[in-house]
Amino acid sequence: MIGITHEPLNPEQITNQVRQDGNGAVVTFLGTTRDSFEGKRVLKLDYEAYEEMALKKMAEIQQEICAEFGIADIAIVHRIGPVDIGQISLVVAVASPHRKEAFYACHKVVDRVKEIVPIWKKEVFEDGSRWVACEDHEFTHPEPAVLNTDND
Amino acid sequence: MIGITHEPLNPEQITNQVRQDGNGAVVTFLGTTRDSFEGKRVLKLDYEAYEEMALKKMAEIQQEICAEFGIADIAIVHRIGPVDIGQISLVVAVASPHRKEAFYACHKVVDRVKEIVPIWKKEVFEDGSRWVACEDHEFTHPEPAVLNTDND
Amino acid sequence: MHLVVTFFALYRERAGLRQLALELPDGGTVTDLTDTIRQRFPNLAPPDVKIVVAVNAEYADPDLALHEGDEVCLIPPVSGG
Amino acid sequence: MHLVVTFFALYRERAGLRQLALELPDGGTVTDLTDTIRQRFPNLAPPDVKIVVAVNAEYADPDLALHEGDEVCLIPPVSGG
């Protein structure tokens, strides 16, 4: 199961998609909006996706993980649009017969989502905003004031 | 939050206990009853606990993980009594600012629960049952027919 | 001293009882207790398997001295999760 | 050839637009495209940062040849999760 949605995510419903009688372990990851970044108060995150390609990459990640760990019961659902503090932006659920594989596979799925899926998040502060770059801090210098928040 | 209960577990409610606005990552583990063991059909698991000591050990695990990973948002809840196929016997939820620590800490909590918490599970097959030993297979030879299922 | 020993899970079923009242010489240790238990229940655990004991809800060293009133439990290999 | 290039996120905001119609000589590659884009939007990305391009919803090598009708998108560093 993969998906991109503008609606709030339901982690239990997504987790239940991967539960099977042959599985003894289910690992679920929730990515949630933190209230601060380097001491600055964050008001919300705003996610944008290249949806067609993002869904394609999420399906590729499922196949990758299946090839590496032999695990087919994988769900990846990303929320886009504004996500308030404490709310969930990403749910990854992985189930397998034993726990070790489920932990490793779930962790790897999350890492890969952050590496290759074309989704972007903007941190919105009280006095501005910045587009986050995937952990490499390539673009973590403060952005100039946003000129065009929406050009569609 | 730690607990032992005879009732069905509610993973979402337990997970919500550890969610905080300062956390960006939540990892939840569900241990569920598998339908087979080495090719044999399992009908259910039956869990027994030394409750007073089990709760004490679960609290110690929380402290251990807090010392190692600096993570305080940890929930461990174990169900005891009969647990049918596909149902949940253990929920561990861990939340932290970043995902790596949450994954490692959750995995470690589950490992430690299986190592030191005095809880035992019996696999019930169509033609008998056996007490499972923690992954060391010390007692995995078939048990003699159970003479006394309950002596209380 | 007078002790009440509690058996769980596999040990409960193998011994055929849940609790046992036991007399042990004063100054007796955990090892003295498990020796007594093994004599009484030779099939409780194979000779090469250590019988783990909890005293007052804590794992106990084999040379720990026991006292009247201690809460003593026999702990088979655990398998929660 | 005639191409429509889509800008996302950081690049959309820096360029001040979401889509751009562009003429590229036939046989042009992804690198030809990003060179053209950099000339037109010098502040889109620092010179040492490679501009990643997706062609038909797949990450494209810099020397991939483009064709009329390709769906071309500029992909800033991703940050989902």
Side-chain angles (χ1 to χ4, degrees):
Chain A
M1 178 205 195
I2 56 172
I4 291 177
T5 175
H6 281 80
E7 302 303 314
L9 296 172
N10 182 334
E12 184 152 36
Q13 182 248 319
I14 296 164
T15 299
N16 285 342
Q17 302 285 323
V18 301
R19 289 176 60 187
Q20 307 282 349
D21 287 351
N23 290 328
V26 186
V27 175
T28 302
F29 172 85
L30 310 182
T32 58
T33 298
R34 274 195 298 151
D35 57 5
S36 66
F37 170 75
E38 291 179 358
K40 281 187 80 167
R41 193 154 83 89
V42 173
L43 301 183
K44 65 166 180 170
L45 296 180
D46 214 334
Y47 285 88
E48 179 173 335
Y50 175 9
E51 289 197 36
E52 178 196 354
M53 184 172 166
L55 290 168
K56 193 174 151 186
K57 289 290 151 191
M58 286 154 83
E60 277 179 31
I61 291 169
Q62 284 184 313
Q63 287 159 16
E64 232 180 80
I65 298 298
C66 188
E68 184 173 352
F69 297 94
I71 293 176
D73 298 317
I74 301 172
I76 312 171
V77 188
H78 209 301
R79 181 176 174 187
I80 57 173
V83 180
D84 288 341
I85 301 304
Q87 290 201 333
I88 301 164
S89 52
L90 172 65
V91 178
V92 173
V94 173
S96 71
H98 301 285
R99 72 186 181 283
K100 196 170 159 182
E101 294 74 14
F103 272 112
Y104 288 179
C106 186
H107 196 163
K108 181 106 183 233
V109 169
V110 179
D111 285 351
R112 293 296 282 158
V113 166
K114 288 168 179 271
E115 280 166 16
I116 68 165
V117 175
I119 294 181
W120 302 271
K121 73 173 151 235
K122 183 201 261 185
E123 283 175 343
V124 179
F125 306 103
E126 282 167 312
D127 58 353
S129 65
R130 72 173 195 115
W131 287 99
V132 181
C134 176
E135 324 222 347
D136 59 7
H137 299 285
E138 189 174 58
F139 284 99
T140 54
H141 52 81
E143 282 300 308
V146 172
L147 297 174
N148 300 275
T149 48
D150 206 343
N151 304 285
D152 299 47
Chain B
M1 178 204 194
I2 56 173
I4 292 177
T5 176
H6 281 80
E7 303 302 315
L9 296 172
N10 182 334
E12 184 152 36
Q13 182 249 316
I14 296 165
T15 300
N16 286 342
Q17 302 284 323
V18 301
R19 288 176 61 186
Q20 307 281 351
D21 287 351
N23 290 326
V26 186
V27 175
T28 302
F29 172 84
L30 311 182
T32 58
T33 298
R34 274 194 299 150
D35 58 4
S36 67
F37 170 77
E38 292 181 357
K40 280 186 80 168
R41 193 155 83 89
V42 173
L43 301 183
K44 64 166 180 171
L45 296 179
D46 214 334
Y47 285 88
E48 179 173 335
Y50 175 9
E51 288 197 35
E52 178 196 353
M53 183 171 166
L55 289 168
K56 194 173 150 186
K57 289 290 150 191
M58 285 154 84
E60 277 178 31
I61 292 169
Q62 284 184 314
Q63 287 158 18
E64 231 179 79
I65 298 299
C66 189
E68 184 172 351
F69 297 95
I71 292 176
D73 299 318
I74 302 172
I76 312 171
V77 188
H78 208 300
R79 181 176 174 187
I80 57 173
V83 180
D84 288 341
I85 302 302
Q87 291 201 331
I88 302 164
S89 52
L90 173 64
V91 178
V92 173
V94 173
S96 71
H98 301 286
R99 72 186 180 282
K100 196 172 160 183
E101 294 75 14
F103 273 112
Y104 288 179
C106 186
H107 195 163
K108 182 107 184 231
V109 169
V110 178
D111 285 351
R112 293 296 283 157
V113 166
K114 287 166 179 273
E115 280 166 14
I116 68 164
V117 175
I119 295 180
W120 302 271
K121 73 174 149 235
K122 184 201 261 184
E123 282 174 345
V124 180
F125 306 103
E126 282 168 313
D127 59 353
S129 64
R130 72 173 196 116
W131 287 100
V132 181
C134 176
E135 322 222 346
D136 59 8
H137 299 285
E138 189 174 57
F139 283 98
T140 54
H141 52 80
E143 281 301 308
V146 173
L147 298 174
N148 300 276
T149 47
D150 205 345
N151 305 285
D152 297 48
Chain C
M1 76 190 105
H2 183 77
L3 292 170
V4 175
V5 181
T6 303
F7 295 66
F8 285 102
L10 179 67
Y11 292 164
R12 176 175 53 70
E13 290 188 351
R14 284 191 176 163
L17 45 74
R18 182 171 173 77
Q19 286 194 316
L20 176 70
L22 209 73
E23 279 302 318
L24 212 64
D26 283 351
T29 64
V30 164
T31 299
D32 296 328
L33 175 84
T34 52
D35 287 349
T36 306
I37 295 283
R38 280 187 191 274
Q39 282 177 356
R40 186 110 168 223
F41 304 99
N43 295 322
L44 201 69
D48 59 317
V49 171
K50 190 186 149 205
I51 295 178
V52 175
V53 174
V55 177
N56 301 325
E58 189 51 71
Y59 290 113
D61 284 334
D63 54 0
L64 181 79
L66 294 169
H67 301 91
E68 178 93 22
D70 279 345
E71 185 187 331
V72 179
C73 299
L74 304 186
I75 309 285
V78 303
S79 56
Chain D
M1 73 190 108
H2 182 77
L3 292 170
V4 174
V5 180
T6 303
F7 295 65
F8 286 102
L10 178 68
Y11 291 164
R12 177 175 51 72
E13 291 188 350
R14 283 190 176 163
L17 46 75
R18 181 169 173 79
Q19 286 195 315
L20 176 71
L22 207 74
E23 280 301 317
L24 211 65
D26 283 349
T29 65
V30 165
T31 299
D32 296 329
L33 175 83
T34 52
D35 288 349
T36 307
I37 295 283
R38 280 188 191 274
Q39 284 178 355
R40 185 111 170 222
F41 305 98
N43 296 322
L44 201 69
D48 60 317
V49 171
K50 189 186 150 206
I51 295 177
V52 175
V53 175
V55 177
N56 301 326
E58 189 52 71
Y59 291 113
D61 284 334
D63 55 359
L64 181 79
L66 295 168
H67 302 93
E68 178 94 22
D70 280 344
E71 186 186 332
V72 179
C73 299
L74 304 186
I75 309 285
V78 301
S79 57

